[in-house]
Amino acid sequence: MAEAHQAVAFQFTITPEGIDLQLSHEALRQVYLSGLRSWKKRIVRLKNNVITGVYPASPSSWLFVVIAILATMYTRSDPSMGLIAKIQEHLPASGSLSVQCQTVVSAVVFSTMLWLSLIFTMKLCLKQLLSYHGWMFEQRGNVSNTTKVWMMLVRIFSGRQPLLYSYQGSLPNLPVPAVKDTIRRYLESIRPLKSDSEFERVNTLAKEFEVSLGNRLQWYLKLKSMWASNYVSDWWEEYIYLRGRGPIMVNSNYYGMDFMYAIPTPIQAARAGNILHAVLMYRRKLNKEEIKPSRIPGTFIPLCSAQCERIFNTTRIPGEETGKTHTHTQTAVLVQVIQVPLISHKHKTVHHNSKYTVSEIRKALLPMSLSAFPRLPWAQARKEFFGSGVNKRSLDCIEKAAFFVTLEHEELDKKGDDPDITLDRYAKSLLHGKCYDRWFDKSFSVVIYKNGKNGLNAEHSWADAPVVSRMWEYVLATDCFHLGYNEEGHCKGDVNPSLPRPQRLTWDIPSQCQERLAQSLSVAQVLADDVDFHVFAFRDFGKGSIKKVKMSPDGFIQLALQLAFYRDRGMFCLTYEASMTRLFREGRTETVRSCTSESCEFLRAFENGEDVEVCRRFCRSASEKHQQLYRLAMTGAGIDRHLFCLYIVSKYLGIESPFLKEVFSEPWRLSTSQTPVQHLEMFDFVNYPEYLICGGGFGPVADDGYGVSYSLIGEDIITFHVSSKHSCPQTDSHKFGKQIRKALGDLLQLMTNNQKEASRSEQNHSPKPQSKKEL
């Protein structure tokens, strides 16, 4: 391990002759440089705050307004209609200034007020423009005149060269849907999953809720929406994540993978150096707000960037009732974890010829397992054993770190290994490791394997996957295509000999604490061993072929997942697809209920062998319905976040609602999420097919269900990460993966007229491409 210890700038010794003071010039120099860097950051932050505050105008526009007003006055015109004279009358130092100076000062004051008024008006106009979402519901190629005018106005009011947070003040607040609309959409979503008698029972509960308790709870939500930036996000973070009492390992955290087929260097230290350098480059750009704001792909519509504020130096801290997330702003500590064996002289964090006993190694690794435990025993152990002394100092170093790094002693993706088995083992390793070699509470942890393979594990409460994915894509592309390696596989450039040496953290773990940690570790190990993963790249076709049959790629894949589950289990199930609400300020996610009456109608017709044209019509209808639900979710008219907030208000009021209890008792047996590729321009999958980014995944949400994450890579590849539990006899991730492959091929064969193109889907996925750098 390593952390930045406090430098001792001076030492003193009391002698008979007096006090002998010894100053360390190097330490004082480092203190000076640290303070200098801190002031530079403050100045940059102040500058960015000014630029962001006046956006979509610019600070230089103030000078233009002042000059314009003064020039107008020079022509003996009064553009202020008497306001400049009024200001001049009330100047506090008018007696000591000449009349001409008073006039100039008054004009500058008026110009500033006019400039600020214009900025406020532009921000308000942009906010109103961004509140319009009609463009999203229009068919591609059939844009209305209203939307065309809107697009032109948005371009005018959007300004030029925005910083990362420039649009934050102009994003609209998330609207609160009407109770009757949410209930109507909810009942529509569960209709294909309920028998007639069950649906009638739930319908009765829903109608009673709508005319009675619903309106009362809605009043509180409307009040909150007027006061808060987002009526959902803070409660979502607290009650879905921070109040959860189970382990966050597997249940909450997610992972991101390295390139699927390529390892740029087999040298672990070199790969770690480049990856960490790239991460810190991103951090520097983030601190300077030089990263462009996220936008909806293919448009200029901005998305909320608030989650980016907590990418670095953020830790989830456990509590006995609820946890919290804390972001440190005054440290850039980097913590590295050296795995067993600790005696290796190749690792800079271990002294040469140092040896450790088994008990010492166990003592060093036990604290690592804390964050894999259920939250209550972790909080109790933290309070009892890590609240003071050396343990608190070491824990502070980890929690204040920019991020966490694990150097693994095992290899992944070795030459000759079965790629399917390797990917499955790779996913499990990133998700939970050995339960004691990851710090799951950090915002994200980078894992570097012995042969140079890498990946990350991310904590979920502070942000959602697209924010981390955007950073990780930048890191991978920068590592390989910008920083690179020399012919021997080492990092380019020279070593700086003046860098401070890393130091090991020390711990004092009493026997009582060791016993408690060992008990909790056994619980975490059972949870980890139960996870069944299957990761594969579907290379038969991708979104390019799907778009040729005039279907939404996401809608197509969701129908394929529905078909795969129906074939696997012989039933329909409540399906969760994560959408985003980042069109709104501090927006996070919303649920798209992908299993609809239209999709069920199509699946029955398709599996019963009905006429091809009938099946195609049903398929397009189901896809269009899915797209409609996705658009509604993105524009604040979803179902589940509104019902969730109504449920929270009912709990605050101490009122039990049979309807809300029914809603939140339904399991999500199929939980899905698409991870979009956001830096596609940084990769070249045609000329460098081995540098295929693989996306990431998450653990199963239901004990008897599947978790499916997928990414559309370029035009021809779709990657899938399928998770389930070994303990459930009804689930099998590999079996479900085969069903997904077959369902994708069957759907394309149904929808395309080119049977040659569709016939490729019946084959197994193509063998991985060979690379000169592949290991």
Side-chain angles (χ1 to χ4, degrees):
M1 302 173 180
E3 98 277 12
H5 280 197
Q6 293 180 346
V8 180
F10 65 92
Q11 298 177 352
F12 66 92
T13 305
I14 300 178
T15 66
E17 290 77 19
I19 298 177
D20 182 15
L21 182 64
Q22 299 176 359
L23 292 175
S24 171
H25 294 286
E26 178 60 26
L28 291 176
R29 178 175 174 273
Q30 293 299 325
V31 170
Y32 166 75
L33 292 176
S34 178
L36 189 62
R37 287 192 295 268
S38 177
W39 277 105
K40 286 182 178 179
K41 289 180 181 178
R42 292 179 186 178
I43 293 172
V44 169
R45 193 177 300 118
L46 177 62
K47 183 192 74 171
N48 289 342
N49 287 340
V50 171
I51 295 174
T52 300
V54 303
Y55 196 83
S58 64
S60 60
S61 62
W62 172 82
L63 184 61
F64 174 81
V65 173
V66 171
I67 293 175
I69 294 297
L70 291 176
T72 305
M73 293 180 63
Y74 183 76
T75 62
R76 300 190 181 281
S77 300
D78 185 6
S80 69
M81 294 181 292
L83 286 177
I84 293 178
K86 290 289 184 183
I87 295 173
Q88 186 173 347
E89 292 176 4
H90 295 84
L91 284 178
S94 58
S96 59
L97 297 175
S98 64
V99 176
Q100 187 175 7
C101 287
Q102 292 179 30
T103 303
V104 171
V105 171
S106 301
V108 170
V109 172
F110 170 76
S111 301
T112 303
M113 294 170 58
L114 176 62
W115 180 66
L116 293 174
S117 300
L118 291 173
I119 290 173
F120 177 79
T121 303
M122 292 178 69
K123 280 183 174 289
L124 186 62
C125 290
L126 183 57
K127 188 170 187 176
Q128 293 300 316
L129 288 169
L130 294 178
S131 299
Y132 170 75
H133 299 123
W135 61 273
M136 193 176 292
F137 296 88
E138 296 180 351
Q139 293 182 355
R140 189 181 298 271
N142 187 21
V143 181
S144 65
N145 291 330
T146 300
T147 297
K148 290 179 180 178
V149 173
W150 169 80
M151 292 170 63
M152 180 182 65
L153 291 175
V154 170
R155 288 183 181 276
I156 292 173
F157 284 96
S158 289
R160 299 173 60 188
Q161 298 180 342
L163 297 177
L164 177 61
Y165 303 117
S166 291
Y167 289 110
Q168 291 301 106
S170 301
L171 292 174
N173 291 358
L174 183 68
V176 183
V179 173
K180 64 176 183 179
D181 292 338
T182 298
I183 290 179
R184 173 177 55 80
R185 295 187 185 110
Y186 168 76
L187 292 174
E188 183 180 317
S189 73
I190 65 169
R191 185 64 189 92
L193 306 174
K194 302 285 187 182
S195 64
D196 291 342
S197 59
E198 289 176 332
F199 180 78
E200 188 58 36
R201 178 182 62 83
V202 178
N203 185 59
T204 301
L205 294 176
K207 296 304 180 184
E208 291 176 355
F209 176 82
E210 179 182 343
V211 299
S212 57
L213 182 59
N215 290 328
R216 181 183 176 188
L217 303 180
Q218 179 81 344
W219 183 85
Y220 286 95
L221 290 189
K222 288 185 175 180
L223 183 64
K224 184 184 179 184
S225 70
M226 291 187 290
W227 175 254
S229 300
N230 192 297
Y231 79 96
V232 175
S233 294
D234 58 336
W235 284 352
W236 184 254
E237 179 175 325
E238 179 178 358
Y239 290 100
I240 296 301
Y241 297 110
L242 299 180
R243 284 184 179 262
R245 300 292 83 193
I248 62 175
M249 181 197 74
V250 174
N251 295 326
S252 178
N253 284 31
Y254 55 94
Y255 66 85
M257 283 187 168
D258 195 0
F259 298 110
M260 180 171 283
Y261 300 129
I263 303 178
T265 177
I267 302 174
Q268 183 184 39
R271 190 77 197 279
N274 261 17
I275 289 293
L276 269 57
H277 186 188
V279 173
L280 294 176
M281 286 175 61
Y282 190 86
R283 183 174 185 259
R284 181 180 178 86
K285 291 171 67 71
L286 184 71
N287 289 339
K288 292 185 175 183
E289 300 183 28
E290 294 175 350
I291 299 171
K292 294 181 180 179
S294 296
R295 302 176 187 271
I296 291 181
T299 75
F300 49 86
I301 309 303
L303 301 176
C304 179
S305 300
Q307 297 177 46
C308 297
E309 297 173 355
R310 298 193 287 178
I311 293 179
F312 294 97
N313 300 94
T314 296
T315 298
R316 177 169 171 172
I317 300 175
E320 295 188 4
E321 293 186 3
T322 183
K324 63 179 180 180
T325 57
H326 186 73
T327 302
H328 301 268
T329 58
Q330 297 181 347
T331 180
V333 179
L334 177 64
V335 179
Q336 297 184 12
V337 176
I338 304 301
Q339 285 247 356
V340 179
L342 292 177
I343 60 175
S344 173
H345 67 278
K346 296 180 181 179
H347 300 303
K348 295 182 179 179
T349 55
V350 181
H351 295 294
H352 294 290
N353 301 320
S354 59
K355 296 183 182 295
Y356 300 91
T357 65
V358 173
S359 61
E360 288 174 328
I361 293 173
R362 175 182 173 83
K363 185 177 180 180
L365 289 178
L366 270 175
M368 299 295 97
S369 60
L370 290 168
S371 58
F373 299 163
R375 305 310 285 175
L376 179 57
W378 175 193
Q380 293 171 340
R382 175 191 172 91
K383 182 178 180 180
E384 184 175 352
F385 301 108
F386 298 88
S388 61
V390 64
N391 286 348
K392 185 178 188 305
R393 289 194 295 272
S394 295
L395 185 62
D396 283 347
C397 289
I398 293 176
E399 294 183 339
K400 293 178 180 180
F403 54 97
F404 198 79
V405 180
T406 298
L407 299 180
E408 280 276 9
H409 75 283
E410 68 173 318
E411 295 186 18
L412 280 179
D413 197 17
K414 293 183 293 185
K415 194 171 184 178
D417 286 352
D418 185 325
D420 290 336
I421 297 176
T422 298
L423 285 173
D424 300 345
R425 186 162 58 93
Y426 182 24
K428 283 180 64 66
S429 177
L430 289 176
L431 186 65
H432 55 67
K434 299 179 181 65
C435 304
Y436 57 76
D437 54 358
R438 309 281 189 269
W439 199 269
F440 296 101
D441 283 345
K442 287 301 295 182
S443 54
F444 69 94
S445 302
V446 177
V447 182
I448 313 289
Y449 294 91
K450 186 177 179 179
N451 62 333
K453 197 78 172 177
N454 73 3
L456 64 77
N457 180 289
E459 200 276 315
H460 209 328
S461 66
W462 64 275
D464 302 305
V467 175
V468 178
S469 174
R470 189 186 189 198
M471 181 268 294
W472 191 237
E473 289 172 17
Y474 173 90
V475 168
L476 292 179
T478 301
D479 165 40
C480 294
F481 306 122
H482 177 62
L483 299 176
Y485 302 88
N486 61 24
E487 294 180 357
E488 290 78 24
H490 294 286
C491 298
K492 296 179 180 179
D494 299 323
V495 177
N496 184 355
S498 64
L499 290 175
R501 290 181 61 83
Q503 300 180 36
R504 280 201 314 129
L505 298 180
T506 57
W507 305 90
D508 180 16
I509 309 297
S511 57
Q512 306 95 311
C513 181
Q514 291 190 37
E515 292 174 2
R516 193 178 304 179
L517 298 182
Q519 292 173 357
S520 296
L521 180 58
S522 63
V523 175
Q525 194 66 58
V526 171
L527 176 62
D529 292 342
D530 196 26
V531 177
D532 178 24
F533 252 108
H534 182 44
V535 181
F536 63 95
F538 183 81
R539 307 181 66 92
D540 298 351
F541 62 85
K543 67 178 181 182
S545 297
I546 298 172
K547 289 188 290 187
K548 287 179 181 178
V549 298
K550 302 186 185 304
M551 287 185 66
S552 156
D554 186 66
F556 184 94
I557 294 174
Q558 284 294 322
L559 279 177
L561 294 175
Q562 292 289 317
L563 177 58
F565 189 90
Y566 185 69
R567 289 171 170 174
D568 183 64
R569 300 284 287 273
M571 58 180 287
F572 304 116
C573 75
L574 191 62
T575 303
Y576 182 112
E577 181 187 7
S579 174
M580 62 89 178
T581 55
R582 291 172 63 200
L583 286 169
F584 304 96
R585 193 170 184 178
E586 297 180 14
R588 291 200 59 167
T589 62
E590 178 58 275
T591 304
V592 178
R593 295 180 168 230
S594 301
C595 183
T596 63
S597 297
E598 288 81 359
S599 67
C600 294
E601 183 180 34
F602 161 67
L603 295 180
R604 290 193 190 96
F606 187 63
E607 289 299 277
N608 292 335
E610 294 194 19
D611 183 73
V612 171
E613 288 302 320
V614 173
C615 291
R616 284 179 179 172
R617 187 172 68 252
F618 285 166
C619 184
R620 293 197 183 279
S621 176
S623 178
E624 290 169 2
K625 178 65 175 181
H626 172 266
Q627 286 300 99
Q628 177 73 3
L629 293 176
Y630 205 100
R631 295 182 184 109
L632 288 171
M634 287 182 64
T635 54
I639 300 170
D640 291 272
R641 299 303 178 268
H642 187 205
L643 291 176
F644 162 76
C645 289
L646 292 172
Y647 179 75
I648 296 300
V649 173
S650 72
K651 290 299 181 182
Y652 277 128
L653 297 178
I655 302 174
E656 289 293 332
S657 168
F659 169 67
L660 294 176
K661 185 177 180 180
E662 175 75 22
V663 170
F664 291 100
S665 65
E666 300 164 343
W668 301 97
R669 288 193 173 88
L670 186 56
S671 182
T672 70
S673 177
Q674 179 189 168
T675 303
V677 179
Q678 301 170 74
H679 283 297
L680 193 60
E681 74 283 354
M682 299 184 72
F683 301 92
D684 185 354
F685 301 126
V686 176
N687 296 318
Y688 300 95
E690 69 274 16
Y691 287 94
L692 170 66
I693 53 179
C694 195
F698 53 89
V701 174
D703 291 339
D704 59 347
Y706 293 103
V708 181
S709 174
Y710 55 94
S711 297
L712 296 149
I713 311 298
E715 295 293 310
D716 304 308
I717 303 169
I718 310 172
T719 60
F720 288 91
H721 301 248
V722 182
S723 65
S724 62
K725 292 191 174 183
H726 289 296
S727 57
C728 178
Q730 297 173 298
T731 59
D732 184 320
S733 294
H734 286 76
K735 179 183 175 183
F736 193 60
K738 292 179 181 178
Q739 294 285 16
I740 292 174
R741 288 189 180 97
K742 188 175 188 306
L744 287 167
D746 290 346
L747 284 185
L748 186 65
Q749 187 171 6
L750 171 70
M751 299 306 297
T752 185
N753 293 322
N754 187 348
Q755 297 301 322
K756 292 182 180 180
E757 181 181 1
S759 64
R760 290 184 300 164
S761 64
E762 298 175 1
Q763 304 173 1
N764 292 330
H765 59 288
S766 302
K768 68 178 184 177
Q770 299 299 313
S771 166
K772 294 181 180 179
K773 296 183 178 180
E774 185 182 346
L775 301 177

